Amino acid sequence: MEIGLRFRAVASVCALCAAGVLALAPPAAAADPAPARPSAPGRQKATVPPPDLLEKGGTQVRLRAGAPALPEVSALSWLVADADTGEVLAAHDAHRRLPPASTLKTLFALTVLPAFPAGVRHTVSARELAGIGEGSSLVGVVEGHTYRVADLWYGVFLNSGNDAVRVLAALNGGWEHTARQMERKARSLGALDTTVVSPDGYDAEGQVSSAYDLAVFGRAGLRDPDFTRYCSTAYASFPGHDGTTYRIANTNRLLTGADGVEPYPGLLGIKNGYTSKAGNTLIAAARRGGRTLVVTVMNPQKGNGLTVYEEARKLLDWGFEAAGHVDPVGSLDALRPVSHAGAEASAAKSPTAPPPGRTGRWEARSRVRSG
């Protein structure tokens, strides 16, 4: 259920024809003196280039005079974006399709979290825990025990518990149904690189996402107060077997400072992941001086398992320092369907229907304030 590069490029060209106002941007890493135009009060915003600039691959950035140099990043793919405007400030191979590991749980949460109130209680059956992949991260969900939905979500976000994902997916109609629903949700957000096979992010043949799509999911999650509360929680109590509770800690080291990683100031959390196939992956967001950035880092090629956090730190620092000194290289809204509600309703009619908007119009948009 992957959409090829040719389709997205054609869609982008059609969007430009419809808009008729976007100008082509220069190649990556070239300074662009194009004048900015006002957007929000106190913020200057340049014309957003067409989506196909991010399709070019390699490192894409449009530096103005006085802009800080990009940091050295070894990840196979990464992206820095303004979470408020959706402007992509810089990226490297933004649409490269790679295994996402547990960062895919962000899309799982976007899809399933709104369906069940946090206070609903559910008694877990053995059937719901069947099929958990070998070596999966677990929070300790036990057959026959009753949990609040909120408990399960803390298990998903903090411990990256595949057992909690299994139970929530069962409540949602089953594993396969949830996977197809996740793909429809991704398409409705303009995330065209993501194919879901295992909703928990466990390595599975054909399961991929991209730095672009993961940034889209992270940004969308920040609009949901429940999502934001779960992903930014460092520590929580989880129900034990005998009426007691035990402490669980978020595995995002930028949030907790575990393993010698210095906590990042203003971090809003989001989600980290690791599998042997995906390597280390991370979606991180932080707020500073009234500005919120979202960063994605996929599979660093240097260092150890903590490198993903340090490379995210470098990109966040650069993004905050570069404010007002770079022109965007794309938008997290650029590939969204024109009619979101209509697209989702159409896709919902059949699990095998083509992705929303695949044969219809797509528009290149510079910003969407709320979703």
Side-chain angles (χ1 to χ4, degrees), residues 127-210:
R127 178 182 58 82
E128 292 169 340
L129 294 174
I132 296 174
E134 182 180 355
S136 286
S137 53
L138 306 172
V139 68
V141 176
V142 178
E143 171 193 349
H145 194 88
T146 300
Y147 300 88
R148 296 177 307 147
V149 165
D151 295 326
L152 297 172
W153 282 117
Y154 281 118
V156 169
F157 277 97
L158 275 68
N159 264 50
S160 206
N162 289 1
D163 46 357
V165 173
R166 285 276 170 175
V167 175
L168 288 165
L171 287 172
N172 189 56
W175 200 243
E176 188 65 24
H177 169 77
T178 299
R180 302 288 71 76
Q181 191 179 19
M182 288 169 65
E183 286 190 334
R184 293 196 296 272
K185 180 65 174 179
R187 300 300 183 260
S188 77
L189 294 169
L192 308 184
D193 302 319
T194 299
T195 299
V196 180
V197 179
S198 186
D200 54 7
Y202 192 82
D203 282 341
E205 187 66 31
Q207 179 155 280
V208 291
S209 191
S210 68

Side-chain angles (χ1 to χ4, degrees), residues 26-167:
D32 183 357
R37 54 187 174 84
S39 55
R43 175 108 35 110
Q44 294 293 311
K45 178 174 160 303
T47 300
V48 176
D52 62 0
L53 188 60
L54 292 178
E55 300 287 359
K56 293 179 182 296
T59 301
Q60 302 292 333
V61 65
R62 301 165 71 202
L63 302 174
R64 298 181 193 170
L70 279 171
E72 181 180 348
V73 178
S74 70
L76 293 179
S77 180
W78 55 262
L79 183 145
V80 186
D82 186 308
D84 297 315
T85 66
E87 295 172 343
V88 179
L89 307 183
H92 178 80
D93 286 347
H95 288 293
R96 181 173 179 176
R97 293 173 179 178
L98 296 166
S102 285
T103 52
L104 192 65
K105 288 182 171 77
T106 56
L107 177 58
F108 175 76
L110 289 174
T111 305
V112 178
L113 200 158
F116 306 102
V120 168
R121 302 180 70 84
H122 174 70
T123 301
V124 175
S125 69
R127 178 182 58 82
E128 292 169 340
L129 294 174
I132 296 174
E134 182 180 355
S136 286
S137 53
L138 306 172
V139 68
V141 176
V142 178
E143 171 193 349
H145 194 88
T146 300
Y147 300 88
R148 296 177 307 147
V149 165
D151 295 326
L152 297 172
W153 282 117
Y154 281 118
V156 169
F157 277 97
L158 275 68
N159 264 50
S160 206
N162 289 1
D163 46 357
V165 173
R166 285 276 170 175
V167 175

Side-chain angles (χ1 to χ4, degrees), residues 170-344:
L171 287 172
N172 189 56
W175 200 243
E176 188 65 24
H177 169 77
T178 299
R180 302 288 71 76
Q181 191 179 19
M182 288 169 65
E183 286 190 334
R184 293 196 296 272
K185 180 65 174 179
R187 300 300 183 260
S188 77
L189 294 169
L192 308 184
D193 302 319
T194 299
T195 299
V196 180
V197 179
S198 186
D200 54 7
Y202 192 82
D203 282 341
E205 187 66 31
Q207 179 155 280
V208 291
S209 191
S210 68
Y212 182 94
D213 284 14
L214 294 179
V216 168
F217 303 152
R219 181 192 181 210
L222 292 178
R223 295 171 176 155
D224 183 331
D226 292 330
F227 183 109
T228 304
R229 181 177 70 256
Y230 292 127
C231 81
S232 62
T233 297
Y235 303 98
S237 294
F238 195 80
H241 303 234
D242 52 2
T244 62
T245 61
Y246 55 91
R247 189 192 201 204
I248 59 174
N250 201 310
T251 54
N252 184 347
R253 277 74 165 181
L254 284 180
L255 189 64
T256 64
D259 298 323
V261 175
E262 183 181 350
Y264 194 84
L267 194 80
L268 301 176
I270 299 192
K271 192 72 189 75
N272 59 310
Y274 171 81
T275 67
S276 56
K277 186 176 181 180
N280 287 279
T281 59
L282 177 67
I283 309 170
R287 187 161 186 82
R288 182 187 301 173
R291 188 183 188 91
T292 302
L293 297 182
V294 60
V295 161
T296 51
V297 179
M298 301 188 75
N299 201 350
Q301 299 297 289
K302 295 181 180 179
N304 55 29
L306 303 179
T307 301
V308 69
Y309 301 106
E310 297 310 324
E311 294 196 348
R313 182 194 310 278
K314 290 178 181 179
L315 291 172
L316 285 168
D317 284 346
W318 176 85
F320 286 119
E321 186 181 353
H325 299 288
V326 295
D327 291 325
V329 295
S331 169
L332 297 181
D333 293 309
L335 299 174
R336 295 188 71 173
V338 172
S339 175
H340 309 298
E344 288 190 277

